[in-house]
Amino acid sequence: MFLSLLSAALIGQGFVSSCGYLTKPYPGAVLPTLVITGLLTFAGLVENMVENSLGLKRIQRIRAYYHRRFAGEQDFFVDAGPVGATHG
């Protein structure tokens, strides 16, 4: 959505640039909208990233539980380990 808004603003700037009396008021009207939309988009992306990392930690916890529970039978969870541990 932000990229669509930015593209529309740049196309509008191209149309307005031919009119001398609109070149100053146009950015004053469009830039606040772009800044607010950009900040809200960034906040949404950060929130999404935090939710994804929390979900990944929960998945790793479940996998570690099943790895401990069925450790000797099958090797389905060979890369599962304690939450926060690095494998490498």
Side-chain angles (χ1 to χ4, degrees):
M1 184 171 152
F2 174 70
L3 291 178
S4 299
L5 186 63
L6 181 63
S7 176
L10 290 174
I11 291 170
Q13 180 68 35
F15 285 125
V16 168
S17 65
S18 62
C19 300
Y21 63 94
L22 289 177
T23 54
K24 290 187 180 182
Y26 182 79
V30 172
L31 279 178
T33 305
L34 286 175
V35 169
I36 290 170
T37 307
L39 290 175
L40 291 175
T41 301
F42 181 75
L45 289 173
V46 168
E47 180 182 358
N48 189 9
M49 183 182 65
V50 168
E51 288 175 1
N52 285 341
S53 61
L54 288 175
L56 181 62
K57 286 181 183 179
R58 291 177 184 138
I59 289 170
Q60 289 290 34
R61 193 176 310 142
I62 292 169
R63 293 187 71 204
Y65 167 77
Y66 281 110
H67 178 66
R68 284 189 308 270
R69 177 144 177 149
F70 304 109
E73 298 174 18
Q74 298 291 329
D75 238 2
F76 293 124
F77 303 103
V78 74
D79 61 340
V83 177
T86 57
H87 301 285

